[in-house]
Amino acid sequence: MAALPKLISASDESGELCVYDSDSRPKVKRRSHAREVLDVFLPAGYPHTVTPDYTPYQIYDSLQAFSSTIAGLLSSRAVLQGFGVGDAMSSATAAVLLTVLQESTGRLATILFAHRLGQAIEPECKYYRFLADIFNDSAMILDVLNPLLPGPARVAALCASGVLRALCGVSGTSAKASLSAHFARSGNLAELNAKDGSQETVISLLGMLAGSVFVRFVHSPLAVWLWTLTLIGIHLWTNYQAVRSVQMRTLNKQRATLVYAEFLHYGRVLRPEQIAAREHILRWKAPNIDFAREPPAKDEISTSDLLTFQQAQYVIVQGRERRKIYLKEGATTVDAIEAWLVALEGPRSVVNEEFWKALASAGWDLETGAMETGSAVRIAVE
């Protein structure tokens, strides 16, 4: 007679939680108190429900947020002095008007930045995530400088810091959304963002507590400048390390160029973690190639160009200063990557079926587009 089925164990994303004995009585596997506390701030099932680069990124991100919070308290005190706090000649109305001016310029900058560069943030999210903190730290320096400036220059500095913080908000928030989508591997994007908010809240509270003690002892202009620059240096270094630790699986222009160069020279395709170690965050010099952002001008695409690329889903035009890529209607992400590599290498290009299989085997995402950083122009050819 066949044995009857029986319950053996139950588990969640993070591993086995309880087992059942021969009488189907559960024996709960208790977690440590430290693990229970960490579960408040980490996604359910961590580390199995996030990518491997989530942990180093969050460690460095927490450290940079802590140093930024303390530096922010020093700059906030300077802003209040710039608004006239402690000055008998200043009025509350003047401070309110300065705040309105600063907020207004910042919001206008937000609109312009989102319009001009909004489409470039996702393909280049690592660059814009780091750039956001450069904007923020530049605003802090202007804030600390503010009390030393004369009246008109003080107003200009306040407006400039408002603009920089607005650019930081757009760039940082948008880039962080792309990074979160990258980290979430089990359809847990909403929860990951919620837990990230909890982490930021705790780090900010700790930073404010430490900063509250800190600002009581830092008063002289020299001490304020030295500590502000030190904290900003720590902030930028930890943020750079955080961004460097991210191993994006999509191919943008830089990553595609690095992958292809390795394939040409050594016949192998590097994995995302290997490319992340070679990827430049700010200093990559892009070749003189770009995807078209406007419809072609009269006679810009010749009949010869159309014939040359008749069987492809793109047309590459040689301009005076750079090559321009026009994707055809129906072009896929693979077509965009191929167009970039062909434009990069010219007739010597060895993009073939073997190359695409090697890319997929190495773990690269060939479905999510990250090549175009502007308006997507498509042409129809008959």
Side-chain angles (χ1 to χ4, degrees):
M1 181 178 176
L4 295 174
K6 62 179 181 179
L7 188 62
I8 297 175
S9 65
S11 61
D12 63 6
E13 303 101 321
S14 60
E16 192 174 278
L17 287 179
C18 67
V19 294
Y20 296 84
D21 61 18
S22 57
D23 295 326
S24 296
R25 287 180 300 211
K27 295 181 180 179
V28 179
K29 188 178 180 181
R30 295 189 177 277
R31 300 182 181 184
S32 65
H33 294 300
R35 179 66 197 193
E36 290 180 355
V37 172
L38 286 175
D39 285 345
V40 175
F41 303 101
L42 295 173
Y46 171 89
H48 309 292
T49 55
V50 293
T51 56
D53 51 348
Y54 174 80
T55 301
Y57 175 83
Q58 288 302 124
I59 290 172
Y60 283 116
D61 190 55
S62 297
L63 291 173
Q64 66 89 16
F66 183 78
S67 60
S68 178
T69 301
I70 298 175
L73 290 178
L74 290 174
S75 67
S76 295
R77 184 174 64 184
V79 169
L80 292 174
Q81 292 172 346
F83 283 152
V85 174
D87 186 353
M89 300 299 293
S90 299
S91 68
T93 301
V96 169
L97 291 176
L98 283 174
T99 303
V100 169
L101 181 61
Q102 186 183 41
E103 288 288 328
S104 299
T105 53
R107 294 185 185 200
L108 289 173
T110 297
I111 296 170
L112 291 174
F113 186 84
H115 170 67
R116 297 290 298 176
L117 296 170
Q119 291 174 296
I121 294 176
E122 185 166 1
E124 304 291 343
C125 61
K126 295 172 71 172
Y127 169 81
Y128 283 100
R129 178 66 189 89
F130 187 59
L131 186 65
D133 283 284
I134 293 178
F135 287 146
N136 186 58
D137 291 346
S138 300
M140 288 186 191
I141 291 174
L142 284 177
D143 289 342
V144 174
L145 182 65
N146 196 277
L148 306 176
L149 298 174
R154 182 178 297 179
V155 174
L158 283 172
C159 292
S161 69
V163 168
L164 289 168
R165 280 200 172 83
L167 299 184
C168 168
V170 177
S171 181
T173 303
S174 304
K176 206 162 188 177
S178 295
L179 292 174
S180 296
H182 160 75
F183 293 134
R185 67 189 307 180
S186 301
N188 56 340
L189 177 58
E191 190 217 2
L192 188 142
N193 281 329
K195 293 296 179 69
D196 187 61
S198 298
Q199 294 173 32
E200 287 186 357
T201 300
V202 170
I203 295 300
S204 296
L205 286 172
L206 293 174
M208 283 189 287
L209 288 173
S212 298
V213 176
F214 188 81
V215 295
R216 290 174 62 87
F217 299 98
V218 179
H219 295 287
S220 69
L222 178 60
V224 169
W225 273 106
L226 286 175
W227 278 110
T228 299
L229 294 176
T230 300
L231 289 166
I232 284 175
I234 294 171
H235 177 231
L236 288 177
W237 182 82
T238 50
N239 196 271
Y240 181 77
Q241 295 302 320
V243 173
R244 289 283 297 172
S245 69
V246 177
Q247 303 162 7
M248 297 299 292
R249 297 183 301 277
T250 55
L251 286 168
N252 63 4
K253 295 172 184 176
Q254 181 182 177
R255 290 190 285 273
T257 302
L258 292 172
V259 166
Y260 191 60
E262 185 74 14
F263 183 77
L264 278 179
H265 288 93
Y266 302 104
R268 60 178 181 175
V269 171
L270 296 180
R271 299 181 62 80
E273 60 268 22
Q274 295 171 307
I275 289 297
R278 303 186 182 191
E279 194 175 1
H280 295 287
I281 304 301
L282 291 176
R283 297 182 294 106
W284 184 60
K285 185 178 180 181
N288 290 327
I289 305 169
D290 205 357
F291 288 87
R293 303 183 184 188
E294 296 178 353
K298 185 177 184 297
D299 298 327
E300 183 178 358
I301 302 178
S302 66
T303 304
S304 175
D305 293 328
L306 295 176
L307 287 172
T308 300
F309 297 98
Q310 188 172 13
Q311 302 302 318
Q313 282 294 96
Y314 52 85
V315 176
I316 301 173
V317 177
Q318 181 63 58
R320 292 181 180 179
E321 298 181 354
R322 60 173 54 208
R323 292 174 182 168
K324 188 180 292 186
I325 300 170
Y326 286 95
L327 295 177
K328 296 180 182 179
E329 289 184 351
T332 64
T333 298
V334 169
D335 294 322
I337 298 171
E338 180 181 328
W340 175 263
L341 299 179
V342 171
L344 188 69
E345 195 63 23
R348 298 181 298 156
S349 172
V350 291
V351 177
N352 50 35
E353 192 65 27
E354 178 189 352
F355 177 70
W356 297 119
K357 288 181 179 178
L359 278 178
S361 298
W364 291 102
D365 179 1
L366 300 180
E367 296 182 1
T368 305
M371 297 298 295
E372 295 176 274
T373 56
S375 300
V377 173
R378 298 291 184 268
I379 61 173
V381 181
E382 61 178 14

